[in-house]
Structures are given as structure tokens and as C-alpha cells.
Amino acid sequence: MKTVIIKYNAGNIRSVQFALERLGVKGIVTDNPEQIQSADKVIFPGVGEASTAMQYLRERKLDQVITHLQQPVLGICLGMQLLCKHSEENNATCLGIFDVEVKKFQSPVPNGLKIPQIGWNNITGLYSTLFEHVPENTYVYFVHSYYAALSPHTVATTNYVINYSAALQKDNFYAVQFHPEKSAEHGQRIIENFLKL
Amino acid sequence: MLTKRIIPCLDIKDGRTVKGVNFENIRDAGDPIELGAMYARQGADELVFLDITATNERRKTLAELVTRIAREVNIPFTVGGGIASVEDVQVLLQSGADKISVNTSAFKRPELLNELSREFGSQCVVLAIDTKFEESDWYVYLNGGRVKTAKRTFDWAKEAVDRGVGEILLTSMNNDGTKQGFALDITALLSQHLNVPVIASGGAGTMAHFEEVFEVAQADAALAASIFHYNEIAIPDLKNYLYDKGVNVRF
């Protein structure tokens, strides 16, 4: 099996690679379209800012490559947001796999909640093969200021300020707002489930 | 619901943990990776590695260590100590660190905070502040607490948030090492008035001290070193205690 991690100007690629390594899988980090297209599994990670990330992807025609992929694709954090239609983060037009709007948590927020959300929060309404053997209310690690609204594609929900999509799924595209690669054993399970698709 | 975080801190010198540790179930008590992985298994929510090595080879050694940690540890970790530039941070993040913490260098050149948050995002920039109460207020200290400044801690923390830091790691020098509890007032002041998470550090001696810093001072996370290293408080016991007291923690 060939597992590819899309390389672009958004961080934490190393963490994803190490998480795969802990599962005995070698993740190939590449921005080469043929390499990406020929992979069995594609991981689209990301930490950073939406509009510059989109610009980087367009300049290298990776936007076209990603949207036409037929094999299982897993977007993580910013990767998930870029798979949505549009992000409020510097008014970025994104890849549009999910017909979902990415919004900023309103600030100031009630109850002393802070932006970004940093830390472990629970996920509920788990409805995807990604979450096989992952219990309801599992805690996973989040770091973000923007969120994908609830939609018919929502397959996991989290509450912070409001209820929003912790995970999305449509056809061969899977996406999680949290960082499975940093979410201890349950996160590892989610990555393992993706690799088994 | 977002949980309160428990964060063990490991001091590193030349790739080894410095403060002694007292665990029977790990082979090499000085190996930061083995210790970090053990804390992760016990349910630590994050780890902080603070490098106190002062040699020219420091950066290379540290980057190698960070890579080894990132291979083994499946929870987020922060690396701090002597970080002074965008390039320093680039190397550490590429090596696998999730966040970095800056202290003295940011105080001496506050623009560093703008540069780092612009380049890497606020979420991975932690400002560490060593603070001491004197006469009537809390002041910022530098160089590991050796150098006093005339800057009030609240003012510096606020400026840092305005410049883009995503989190504040606040260590009270009055409390550190006393095991008499965290500095509740300054922690509460920062936590209530700044829109970023505050990690309280210094003074943890009992499980009740953690409850207090979360419930009274509204800290978002609490950091400690020796009580974990010497196995005076085990993380699973601490989490059970906090859960029983109504504090939202992760299991």
C-alpha cells in the first residue's frame, strides 16, 4: 500500500509521518501530482492560514489534483477546512468538496472560553467507519480558531462556543478538525481505520 | 467540553533530563523520551521539554532530540529554551515539535512574537513568563529568574497577546519549589483578562492545589515537574481526584 502525505506550505507534516510510522506504515511526503494520484491513500494535513495555503496549492495546480482524487483522502485540521467551500479566514475560496462554510469562533465568547480552542475535547455522534472501535465522547486534541459548520456531511460533532463539525465525510473524502496524530491511542485508531478503508 | 490539561515538564540538558526522577518502572530515568512516553501512557495531556543546555552544539542536539520525542510520543509537546529567531523555531517545528515557548529573547525583542505568530500561527507560540511578587505587584524576571525587570507581568502578558502569542506559561518564582500551591491571584488575573489559555506553573504540592488553580484561578492547564518525576502524585490518581471534584478532565 502506498500512503502519501501532501506536502505544501502548512506545518505538522512530520507529526503525521511519525504517527504512520508508529503504525508500521511509511508515509511518502510529496507535492508531485503523479505520486499523489497513484497513491492508495492520501493524507492532506495542515496547520496554518487558509488563504496562503490555497494560493500555494493553486500555484502548483494541486487544487485540481486533490479535488479529482478517487482513493480515500483524509483531511486534517486546516486540511479539512480547505476541503470545504469557503473560509472566513481572509475570505479564502477553498476546494469545495464539502459544501460547508468555515467560520471563525465569535469573540469575545461566553463563559470565559478562549480562542483558539487548544486542548482535548470530546466528539459525539460518531457516524463513519473512521470511528470504528472509537467510543462516543472520546477525547481528541484540537487546536483551531475556525470551524466547519454542521452539515449533512457531518459524521462527528464537538461543542466549543457552538456545536460544529469535528469530522466530515463525503464519498472518498474524509476530514477531521482535530489532530488524530496527536490524540493518543484513540487518534491512532482513527488513522488505522482510515488506512484500512 | 474542553478539558483542563495536566502537563508534566521535563528539563533537558545535553539531551538528558536533569532533575532526578524516581520511577522504578522505567529503565533509564534520565532519558527524556522514555519518561515522556510514560507520562503520555499515564494520561498526561501534553508535555513541555525545556532545554537548559548552553553550548554552541545546542541547537543541533535539541533538534535531534525533538525528532526522537516526536517519533515516540503521541500527544502534543512544547519545546522551549534559548529560542531567539524564526530560524530556531523552523528547525524545531520541522523536527516534530507542536509548539515552542519563548521567554527572555521575546522580552528583549518583542517583535519576535509578531514574527513567530505570523510565520507559524499563534497556536504554536507560547510565551513563558517567570514572575515574582514584590511590594505590591508581580514583575517579569528574565534569564531563568536571575534578572529582574521593571515590567509588570500583566502588562507584558497583554502586550504579548496583542503581538500574537497563543498561550501563556506563567511560572511564579515565589511559589516554585515550595509545594505550597500555585500563585492563584496572578494566574486568575491573566486568565480572566486575556483571551488565550494560561498554563499555571510553580508550587504544586498536593492534588488539591490543582483543583484550586483550575476552579479558583481558572487556569486552563497546570504544569509541574518534581511531584510527577518523584512519583509523589501519579497522573491517573490526580485525574480521578479532579474528576470527583467536578473538574472536567480527560481520561
Side-chain angles (χ1 to χ4, degrees):
Chain A
M1 188 175 75
K2 180 174 166 186
T3 304
V4 149
I5 302 166
I6 297 178
K7 179 182 162 188
Y8 66 118
N9 65 334
N12 107 310
I13 283 173
R14 215 61 203 283
S15 311
V16 175
Q17 206 176 10
F18 288 144
L20 292 174
E21 202 179 285
R22 286 193 289 271
L23 290 164
V25 173
K26 183 176 155 43
I28 303 162
V29 178
T30 182
D31 57 3
N32 178 293
E34 288 79 35
Q35 284 268 25
I36 297 168
Q37 283 155 347
S38 67
D40 300 298
K41 299 279 163 26
V42 176
I43 297 180
F44 183 37
V47 171
E49 193 275 319
S51 67
T52 52
M54 278 308 302
Q55 192 187 341
Y56 185 98
L57 293 172
R58 283 197 195 96
E59 280 166 8
R60 286 155 185 80
K61 305 251 189 310
L62 288 172
D63 56 333
Q64 289 303 313
V65 173
I66 294 166
T67 48
H68 287 95
L69 291 172
Q70 304 288 319
Q71 61 273 60
V73 177
L74 177 63
I76 297 175
C77 196
L78 180 65
M80 160 160 161
Q81 298 183 357
L82 297 182
L83 289 173
C84 293
K85 189 174 62 180
H86 176 265
S87 172
E88 281 185 1
E89 192 172 16
N90 292 317
N91 192 26
T93 301
C94 300
L95 297 168
I97 297 292
F98 302 110
D99 186 14
V100 175
E101 183 74 16
V102 175
K103 299 172 182 174
K104 189 169 202 285
F105 286 125
Q106 276 183 321
S107 186
V109 292
N111 309 325
L113 296 178
K114 295 162 182 182
I115 310 299
Q117 171 176 229
I118 298 182
W120 298 81
N121 203 333
N122 54 337
I123 51 176
T124 58
L126 309 184
Y127 189 73
S128 166
T129 40
L130 269 190
F131 301 115
E132 207 175 342
H133 302 301
V134 176
E136 278 287 309
N137 283 310
T138 290
Y139 283 99
V140 289
Y141 189 76
F142 290 87
V143 181
H144 62 127
S145 303
Y146 293 80
Y147 66 92
L150 292 176
S151 90
H153 307 304
T154 302
V155 291
T157 303
T158 296
N159 181 276
Y160 191 74
V161 186
I162 61 159
N163 287 325
Y164 65 90
S165 298
L168 295 167
Q169 185 189 329
K170 184 190 172 193
D171 305 326
N172 57 318
F173 287 91
Y174 299 75
V176 291
Q177 178 59 63
F178 54 89
H179 288 276
E181 75 279 12
K182 286 286 160 184
S183 295
E185 63 270 34
H186 291 302
Q188 187 154 312
R189 168 73 67 183
I190 291 165
I191 295 173
E192 215 175 343
N193 287 340
F194 172 73
L195 295 175
K196 279 196 271 183
L197 286 170
Chain B
M1 199 197 289
L2 186 68
T3 61
K4 302 289 189 181
R5 288 170 279 154
I6 302 294
I7 308 178
C9 178
L10 288 79
D11 285 349
I12 305 292
K13 191 174 185 216
D14 301 322
R16 310 275 295 168
T17 44
V18 195
K19 283 181 187 166
V21 292
N22 184 22
F23 283 104
E24 290 178 357
N25 55 337
I26 67 170
R27 280 169 293 149
D28 177 0
D31 180 12
I33 294 141
E34 202 171 342
L35 193 56
M38 189 198 68
Y39 285 135
R41 283 195 301 275
Q42 289 184 344
D45 297 302
E46 273 181 57
L47 300 170
V48 169
F49 294 89
L50 199 57
D51 183 53
I52 57 169
T53 313
T55 67
N56 294 332
E57 281 294 295
R58 191 194 68 83
R59 201 183 298 179
K60 189 163 162 263
T61 315
L62 183 59
E64 285 165 4
L65 178 69
V66 166
T67 299
R68 289 173 53 217
I69 295 166
R71 276 185 204 282
E72 295 298 324
V73 170
N74 61 5
I75 59 170
F77 69 95
T78 302
V79 178
I83 295 168
S85 69
V86 167
E87 292 71 34
D88 289 348
V89 173
Q90 188 104 45
V91 169
L92 295 172
L93 293 181
Q94 280 176 358
S95 300
D98 298 290
K99 312 179 201 178
I100 56 83
S101 85
V102 287
N103 189 333
T104 303
S105 58
F107 189 89
K108 291 189 170 159
R109 197 174 69 80
E111 298 76 28
L112 177 65
L113 298 174
N114 304 71
E115 294 165 13
L116 295 180
S117 60
R118 198 164 51 233
E119 186 73 23
F120 307 107
S122 293
Q123 80 289 335
C124 71
V125 184
V126 180
L127 176 73
I129 303 176
D130 294 323
T131 185
K132 195 171 180 181
F133 187 81
E134 287 181 331
E135 290 161 27
S136 61
D137 215 326
W138 292 88
Y139 291 91
V140 177
Y141 274 68
L142 304 178
N143 296 94
R146 291 188 297 274
V147 178
K148 181 187 181 337
T149 75
K151 190 88 152 182
R152 294 195 318 147
T153 295
F154 181 81
D155 297 341
W156 172 226
K158 182 162 190 325
E159 179 184 340
V161 171
D162 291 342
R163 288 179 181 275
V165 307
E167 222 168 349
I168 290 181
L169 166 53
L170 181 72
T171 303
S172 164
M173 294 165 59
N174 302 71
N175 300 61
D176 200 24
T178 65
K179 299 195 177 181
Q180 297 298 304
F182 294 94
L184 301 179
D185 56 345
I186 185 66
T187 302
L189 185 73
L190 263 52
S191 188
Q192 285 162 10
H193 289 90
L194 303 175
N195 188 33
V196 300
V198 175
I199 305 165
S201 157
T206 66
M207 296 199 264
H209 292 150
F210 286 87
E211 178 194 359
E212 198 174 56
V213 83
F214 291 138
E215 298 287 72
V216 179
Q218 292 165 38
D220 299 278
L223 177 143
S226 58
I227 56 156
F228 295 137
H229 300 333
Y230 288 102
N231 215 3
E232 290 165 25
I233 293 178
I235 291 170
D237 296 343
L238 175 58
K239 288 212 163 169
N240 280 323
Y241 173 89
L242 291 170
Y243 180 82
D244 287 344
K245 296 288 180 185
V247 178
N248 194 32
V249 289
R250 155 192 170 252
F251 286 99

